[in-house]
Amino acid sequence: MIIFLLMHLIIFIYLFARLIVPLNVSKKIKFVLTLLIFAASQHYLLRFAFDSLSTPELPRLFIMFEGWCFATVVFLFLLVLGRDLFLLFRFVFTSGRRKRESRRYFAKKHSADRRKVMLALTAVAAAPAAFGVSQGSRVPAVRQWDEKLPGLPKELDGLVLAHITDLHVSPLFGPDWLEALVQKVNAMQPDLILFTGDMADGQPELRGMDVSALASLRAPYGVYGCVGNHEYYGGYRFWMNRLQELGMTMLENSHKVIEINGRELALAGVTDPVALEFGLPVPDVKAALADAPEGAFKILLEHRPSSFEHNAEFGVNLQLSGHTHGGHIIGMNQLVARFNGGHVYGWYSAGPSRMYVSSGAGLWNGFPVRIGASSEIARITLRAWE
């Protein structure tokens, strides 16, 4: 929490120092511009004022506007920082006219053309921010995969999985959005529907009703899920009970054996590492697979992908995960991967084990931006090696 607030404060101070202070305008205009940048960059304070960091109970359009303002400020910070680093490099390593031009950019007062530069940078930042919010808040598309998996019995060839993760149901992703998603999932006619955590954000009594559409999900072999970190923030036991009421079997360091075409499939799920902060059981893949049939094909549901290589050692054939949101933005995805064991999106291998990391259906509305990391519902058709 403190790190987030500190990062936002740094963004505000830097933009204030590099854009507002040097402007050759009246103090009133500077004051107004300062307030605007502060409000946009410190949107966490607004969240605390209207409920919590998880989600402010505000209208959807306002949350989208808030997200656009914050994303614009973040992109503007990166543009200004990039410009300053370039000009600093040119000032240090060049001479003559270019050195003098670079020096003028670091002068105490900006001329009229520098004000134009500030407006241009703001416009350049605002456009991708608007695109990113529109992409981040839409109903996800279906992404189809036909995947050959080592060890898959021929009897399970053609089995269709619907993998959904990171719904983050909230005022941004409300009941209408979820109803549209459920209709898409049912239209896929999956054999199994599998969720990998982060179902909702906000007050349990509100979100508990918002997820009611999940009861309409249909699959011949059932609907299963594991928890993500956000289930703990919103009341772990409440969500376990509520999701069970809606027809979802929650796997908490446990597994279920499903017989399909005469072959056994062991479907397991684990908890999330944040459980340690709440005095609840932490992930235990060994316990989750205990007593699973020896020859069963093993599918593991785990919200975070970082333990994939460890899980593979326990004979997991296929792991499904989320949590990363696909990295949100091209370029930023590499940073997200570093915090998730090198995994951010798509298919990964560890020996004969495979893992699919989905970019997620929704996202945490504190940064509702996607650029080059589209939301998705994954339709995975399992194929046996010939």
Side-chain angles (χ1 to χ4, degrees):
M1 190 71 63
I2 298 299
I3 293 177
F4 280 128
L5 294 173
L6 182 60
M7 289 172 58
H8 288 200
L9 187 61
I10 289 173
I11 290 174
F12 166 70
I13 292 173
Y14 192 82
L15 291 178
F16 174 74
R18 295 301 301 133
L19 293 183
I20 306 301
V21 172
L23 278 176
N24 189 17
V25 296
S26 68
K27 291 183 178 179
K28 289 184 179 180
I29 294 177
K30 283 189 176 183
F31 179 73
V32 171
L33 292 174
T34 300
L35 284 181
L36 289 174
I37 291 179
F38 181 82
S41 63
Q42 306 302 308
H43 76 314
Y44 279 3
L45 299 179
L46 177 68
R47 292 171 166 271
F48 282 120
F50 283 91
D51 182 25
S52 69
L53 183 61
S54 294
T55 175
E57 298 301 330
L58 295 167
R60 185 174 195 265
L61 287 177
F62 187 88
I63 293 177
M64 293 176 67
F65 174 73
E66 176 207 21
W68 171 72
C69 289
F70 178 61
T72 297
V73 166
V74 171
F75 292 157
L76 181 60
F77 167 76
L78 295 174
L79 286 171
V80 174
L81 179 62
R83 182 203 65 172
D84 286 353
L85 290 174
F86 169 75
L87 292 172
L88 181 62
F89 177 86
R90 198 167 73 164
F91 176 76
V92 173
F93 294 101
T94 62
S95 60
R97 180 177 59 84
R98 290 185 176 180
K99 192 178 189 75
R100 290 192 297 272
E101 288 176 352
S102 298
R103 182 186 291 120
R104 282 199 296 271
Y105 274 98
F106 292 100
K108 291 184 178 179
K109 297 294 181 183
H110 281 179
S111 57
D113 62 324
R114 295 301 177 262
R115 291 198 293 272
K116 294 178 182 178
V117 170
M118 174 185 172
L119 292 174
L121 289 174
T122 303
V124 170
F131 173 76
V133 171
S134 69
Q135 293 298 295
S137 57
R138 70 179 184 175
V139 177
V142 175
R143 183 162 290 152
Q144 302 199 44
W145 300 94
D146 267 43
E147 199 67 22
K148 290 185 177 181
L149 300 175
L152 183 74
K154 290 184 178 180
E155 291 84 355
L156 300 183
D157 183 86
L159 189 73
V160 177
L161 311 179
H163 176 211
I164 307 105
T165 190
D166 296 276
L167 290 174
H168 289 281
V169 172
S170 68
L172 178 60
F173 302 105
D176 292 341
W177 177 89
L178 184 60
E179 178 64 36
L181 181 143
V182 166
Q183 290 177 10
K184 283 193 173 186
V185 174
N186 285 337
M188 292 161 45
Q189 297 183 317
D191 297 305
L192 267 171
I193 299 176
L194 307 174
F195 285 86
T196 51
D198 281 7
M199 306 296 288
D201 292 325
Q203 301 174 18
E205 59 270 23
L206 296 176
R207 297 296 88 81
M209 294 303 300
D210 288 348
V211 299
S212 298
L214 293 175
S216 300
L217 289 168
R218 295 291 181 267
Y221 296 107
V223 182
Y224 294 83
C226 72
V227 296
N229 50 309
H230 282 242
E231 274 72 51
Y232 294 87
Y233 307 146
Y236 180 83
R237 189 44 53 192
F238 169 86
W239 281 112
M240 294 306 97
N241 294 335
R242 179 56 177 152
L243 293 171
Q244 295 278 6
E245 290 173 359
L246 295 172
M248 187 181 302
T249 300
M250 297 302 293
L251 301 170
E252 308 171 65
N253 292 333
S254 62
H255 72 270
K256 293 288 185 180
V257 177
I258 305 171
E259 186 172 318
I260 302 173
N261 297 329
R263 292 301 296 261
E264 292 177 318
L265 184 152
L267 180 61
V270 294
T271 58
D272 189 83
V274 79
L276 185 64
E277 300 177 17
F278 296 84
L280 293 169
V282 296
D284 189 340
V285 67
K286 183 177 180 180
L289 291 171
D291 300 321
E294 186 68 27
F297 187 83
K298 299 177 179 63
I299 298 178
L300 177 68
L301 308 181
E302 180 167 16
H303 180 61
R304 306 187 196 221
S306 52
S307 299
F308 172 51
E309 286 76 12
H310 168 75
N311 296 337
E313 297 176 2
F314 290 87
V316 171
N317 298 102
L318 173 64
Q319 177 173 324
L320 300 178
S321 296
H323 185 63
T324 65
H325 304 161
H328 283 274
I329 301 170
I330 293 175
M332 179 177 159
N333 55 355
Q334 296 306 311
L335 178 63
V336 173
R338 293 193 64 176
F339 287 95
N340 289 278
H343 315 114
V344 64
Y345 171 72
W347 289 94
Y348 298 88
S349 297
S353 298
R354 302 296 306 281
M355 175 175 70
Y356 181 71
V357 183
S358 171
S359 61
L363 40 72
W364 173 59
N365 58 66
F367 191 63
V369 178
R370 289 183 181 271
I371 300 177
S374 300
S375 58
E376 68 174 33
I377 305 164
R379 185 182 191 273
I380 304 173
T381 302
L382 306 187
R383 296 297 183 188
W385 287 95
E386 297 177 355

